[in-house]
Structures are given as structure tokens and as C-alpha cells.
Amino acid sequence: MSNLSKPQTHNSPPLRIGLFGIGLDTYWPQFDGLKERLEGYLEQVAGKLAKDGVEICNAGLVDSPERAVEAGSFFRRSEVDIVFLHVTTYALSSTVLPVMQRAKVPVVIMNLQPGEAIDYEAFNKLGDRTKMTGDWLAWCSACPVPEIANAFKRAGIDFHQVTGTLLEGDPVWNEVEEWIEAARVAHTMANNRLGLLGHYYNGMLDIYTDLTAQLACFGGHMEILEVEELAAIRRDISQAAVDAKLAEFQNTFDIQSDVLPDELLRAARTAVALDQLVEKHRLGSMAYYYMGSGSDENKDVMTSVILGNSLLNGRGVPVAGEYEVKNAQAMKIMDTFGVGGSFTEYYAADFREDVVLLGHDGPGHIKIASSKTKVRPLDVYHGKVGRGLSVEMSVQHGPVTLLSLIEGAHGRPEFLVAEGESVPGPILQIGNTNSRYKFPIGARGFMEQWNAHGPAHHCAIGVGHISQKLKKLAALLGIEIQMVC
């Protein structure tokens, strides 16, 4: 399945990628054309890195300690998010270390030679050993990597590697693409504004989290919101805006015949108010929960948010119920990777089919639904206050990835990841998101191994297998990742 369109954080700056190649200035007068040849290779790499929404900050060929200082300062001024170091030929580690000491961002060492192998026969027929050495140096990308790695290790600079060729179709470019995507997600999280509407569900100790620890890990901003503000916005909604939202409901959802017009109208008014709240505070995601007890207006608002929040999910503004901040973060990560990220939990197993049943009440990610999302009325929101409309959907059949943010005793977030498959079969038609999943370690093995890491009971589900991208994101963030399957 192709990725969903990747959302952009409200008013977020572009992802800035730093790029430089390396060489040794002593070589240039010794070997005619070598510098120009290597600069051509660097331009090839720059072209490969260029993407929509990406700004390439190319420092060129760094061939001396002085140029290294200049490149590092250039990257700092440019506020790059990540640096790709194209190892074009042998170079002294003293021409590399100052760059990253000043840039202070993650670096990917690109050990890429011009082709799969040197043409030994043609090379040995060059006759002129100076020309032969110059040609060899153009293939010499592997030579300085141990030296660079040694300097980085001793200086305490984390680094990552890709190895391959400059050739079109080399698998290394898929890996480079994954690093770019991981950097894009880290960049989005660092610029994201997460709205916190209401308060935690009373007694769910697993979902409580340290907001400062979240910001220290991912960056961004958290805006604490008042339900009264949402209610106040809702009072002044125009009829034209409500009518437009009702039309959007009809186009987006499969509205069941037992849905009352008054309930649909109530949901539409709240959906418009939610849109305005998100726009006003420039939110890229939100976590919410509120009983509304003692205030009829607040209760009326909070019992009519599910359709509006489902639309926000589909628009790239993930919304997590029960004030699950950690899962709002996980959902934003998955959505920025372009794979959805629906709010869910497992609640039962079908041991005859070796399937785990996962779902949740409240909003779903309608862009990854297997069919048009149904709207159903509920006479009671189980475990919550009131009644109203809800959505029912299953995640598209095929490969899926589960992501949970977990916190150990030390308090720093970690990734918990599992890959499985959404499979067809009967589901409970109770007006909730609801899907069936198979895992390579079986239903029993999955539940026990997932639980062993002590996650919160919610997680985010996205379509496709993206554990390799999540591993790279974890590496860029400097956090641990635990793979269940």
C-alpha cells in the first residue's frame, strides 16, 4: 500500500538537510580532474536527497580543517536538522570532526562508491601510475570511514552509516530515504503543538506521563486548553458553517439510518468548533477527555466530539481520547510517516483463529479504514458520561505496525513496536473501531511479550511495516526501541 499524504505541522519550517563531501587538498594539484570528478559525485547525492518540503544546505567539498570549521558554522547558521556526509575519497578525520562538533545534529556517513566494482582490466591498462592512483582515489570512499568513526566515537558524537553505490536502483537509496523520513518525523515532532483538552481519565495510572519528559525527548509545545473555550466557540458557530460540515459528514461517512438528525446537527456544530480551536492554537495533535459533569453545556460539547475528531484524524491532526498524551505522540509519529496511526487497545482474542481483537471507542483514523466509516448512535458511552454518535471502522487488511510510547523507571520515553497483519473476519458491530490482527509469534505470544514491557493499554496502529523507519527515528532521538515481533 502506498503511503498516505504526509501532513505538515502548522507553519512548520522545512526540513533542512546538511550535506558535505570530503577530500584532501594535497591531492588536487597531484591528480588532474579528481576534485571536479568528486564534486560531480556530490551533486549526484544532492539530487538524490532533494524532496518536496526539504531544503538542501550543501557545504560542498571540505578538504582542510579550515574548510571544516566553515562548513560546521554554515550548518549551524542554516539550522539543519540532520547532516549527510558523503565520503567521496580519502580525507583526514581532522577535516570532518570540526564540522559535526559545530553542527551538533545527527550525522549519516554515506560510504558510496561510483559503481559496483572497479574495471580492473581497464584500470590496469591506464599505464600511467599517477592517473591510476587518481582513478583509484575516486573509488576510495571506504578508506577513511574507520578513521572518521574512530574520531566520532572518541569525541562522543553519535553517527549512522549507509553503504553502497551511487548507482540508480541500489538498495542503499531506500535506506537513505528512510533516514530522510525519520528526520522529517523528528523535525515535525520538534515543531508540533499538542493540545491538552480536559484532564486524565481518573485512575488510569498507565497513561499518566511527565509532560516535561515528553518535550525533552521530542521537542514541540504543549498547549493546555479549557473545555469552556471550546463551548464558547461553539455558541457562535454560523448556520452556513454547520451546513457545510453536515455536507462533509454525508460525503465522508456512511451514516446509518437510525442516526437522528438532531444528533448529527449537534455533532456538526461541535466539529466546526473543534476546527476553529485547532486553527486558533495552531495544533498538530490533541489529547482530550472531560466528563462535563455539573455543566450541561460542557457535557453537550464533550458528548458530541467523536465525528469532528475523526475528521481531524483524517486531516493529519491526530486526536487521542482519554487524555492519552503518550499515544497522541505515537499517533502523530505514525501519521507523519504517512501510515495513519489509529487509537486502539486490545480487548480479547480469538484463539480458534489465533487472532487478537483490537479497537476502541471514540474517534478513528478514517484514512486507513477498510471501507467507508459508519456512524452509529449509542445510548451510552461505556465508562463515560452521556450518549451520542460514534464511528465504526476496521483498519485496512494487510500489514500493520503497532507503536506505543513506554516509560521505564527512569522516565525517558521508549518505542515499543510490533509488526503484524490486519485480517478479514467478523467484528463486533458496537459503534467502535474494531479489527482483527495476526502476529508472527501468535496471539498468546504477542500479548505476553507486549505486556512484558509494561506499556500503557493504548497504542497507535498504522498500515504497512515501518519498523525500520521507527528504528532510525529512535536512533535520531537517542531513545531505545523494543521490538516484540
Side-chain angles (χ1 to χ4, degrees), residues 310-329:
S310 295
L311 291 178
L312 287 173
N313 281 343
R315 269 209 330 262
V317 183
V319 182
E322 295 174 2
Y323 208 77
E324 233 288 34
V325 174
K326 296 193 299 294
N327 211 39
Q329 298 278 70

Side-chain angles (χ1 to χ4, degrees), residues 425-439:
I427 63 166
L428 307 180
Q429 298 176 8
I430 55 175
N432 293 175
T433 61
N434 203 310
S435 293
R436 302 162 62 87
Y437 299 94
K438 276 187 173 289
F439 297 94

Side-chain angles (χ1 to χ4, degrees), residues 3 23 68 78 124 143 152 164 172 179 195 197-198 222 245 247 344 397-398 410 414 417 422 437 468:
N3 283 350
S78 302
N124 290 327
C143 182
F152 282 168
V172 73
W179 280 113
L197 181 64
M222 294 189 181
K245 187 60 68 175
T344 194
H397 301 150
H410 53 73
E414 299 178 8
V417 176
S422 172
Y437 299 94
Q468 293 304 311

Side-chain angles (χ1 to χ4, degrees), residues 150-195:
N150 176 282
F152 282 168
K153 279 283 188 182
R154 293 166 71 182
I157 294 173
D158 289 334
F159 63 91
H160 316 286
Q161 304 177 64
V162 295
T163 304
T165 75
L166 291 170
L167 299 177
E168 192 73 36
D170 191 305
V172 73
W173 295 111
N174 293 330
E175 195 173 358
V176 169
E177 177 67 24
E178 289 180 347
W179 280 113
I180 294 173
E181 285 302 299
R184 189 199 303 270
V185 174
H187 172 81
T188 297
M189 297 299 289
N191 290 277
N192 185 50
R193 292 173 59 87
L194 169 62

Side-chain angles (χ1 to χ4, degrees), residues 147 196 320 376:
E147 179 178 339
L196 305 175
R376 296 190 187 276

